Amino acid sequence: MISLYRIAAGDDPLLLWASQDMRAGVRAWALGEAAAVACPDVSRRDRLALRGAPADVAALVDRIRPEVAGYHAVGDQDLIEAIPGLVVEGRFGWMDTTAPTGPPPRYEPRWLDDDAEVAAFLDEHHPGSYAYPGGTGVTRWAGIRAGTGELLAVGADAWSVAEIGFIAGVATRTDARGRGFGRDLCAFLTDELIAGRGRVALFVDHWNAAAVRTYEKLGYTMRRIAAATFQDRQECSGS
């Protein structure tokens, strides 16, 4: 096993994103065909991103487990489900694109400068948002306003890295849903974040067909991933 001090730009995008440009507190390892990145407080979790051949990943996880207690493992669904000692807690999608979205939005998204306004909007219309003003890695917010000035939709540039922009916290006002505001806001964010980068990504519930269709129309493709926690060692041994 070796420690890594950088993740190559051409590596697995999920691993590259989880490395968060190797900021303070991030650790990475490689063993055979496996690699792992442990990053504290990214997308509101301490995350352990995994990639590689299942046998090598299992061996690597066993070696580093004492150093990543309490972390949430994340990786391709088939891989996470194959690693002994991991208990799947969620299955969702990583969607990404490597191209601008094309035609400009019908509405006019803009970058916002009032975090308190965004926080109040999320509290009312999307209280479960992982991205929240002031959170670690949440850089800036964009929004669409009605003619009268009130917010209709918001979304964040959050946990972006040098090679990958990341969109999170997308929310539309409850009484304005189904009118294309979310689509236009995501198009704006995609085109803004892809400038100077090779890719833009986001997380989505893969069962949310409407959201998946929206992102696919913007050029995003789906990758099924899973998150897991570590099974208690006593439980593993059957004692």
Side-chain angles (χ1 to χ4, degrees), residues 37-218:
V37 171
C39 183
D41 195 15
V42 57
S43 189
R44 292 184 62 182
R45 295 284 188 273
D46 294 341
R47 298 192 184 271
L48 176 68
L50 303 169
R51 67 110 170 108
D56 286 347
V57 171
L60 178 56
V61 167
D62 191 60
R63 292 250 201 124
I64 65 175
R65 181 167 173 171
E67 300 184 55
V68 293
Y71 277 65
H72 295 248
V74 62
D76 286 322
Q77 182 175 320
D78 291 347
L79 174 63
I80 296 298
E81 291 176 343
I83 305 304
L86 293 182
V87 180
V88 175
E89 61 175 5
R91 296 172 176 85
F92 47 104
W94 161 283
M95 297 190 74
D96 62 15
T97 182
T98 57
T101 60
R106 293 169 295 168
Y107 302 104
E108 296 184 1
R110 294 287 186 270
W111 291 112
L112 304 173
D113 57 10
D114 187 344
D115 280 0
E117 181 185 26
V118 173
F121 183 90
L122 291 172
D123 289 345
E124 182 173 359
H125 301 289
H126 188 23
S129 176
Y130 272 32
Y132 197 82
T136 301
V138 181
T139 306
R140 53 185 175 162
W141 291 85
I144 296 175
R145 295 187 183 276
T148 50
E150 68 269 26
L151 283 174
L152 296 172
V154 301
D157 168 4
W159 312 297
S160 293
V161 295
E163 291 85 8
I164 303 173
F166 200 80
I167 297 172
V170 177
T172 301
R173 200 173 75 183
T174 308
D175 61 356
R177 291 172 183 168
R179 293 161 55 185
F181 295 121
R183 181 265 175 213
D184 281 8
L185 183 60
C186 287
F188 171 82
L189 286 166
T190 301
D191 292 344
E192 288 282 307
L193 297 185
I194 208 165
R197 298 182 172 96
R199 188 181 307 268
V200 178
L202 49 82
F203 287 147
V204 65
D205 292 318
H206 58 70
W207 47 261
N208 188 338
V212 171
R213 281 197 301 271
T214 295
Y215 299 135
E216 287 177 339
K217 289 177 181 177
L218 293 175

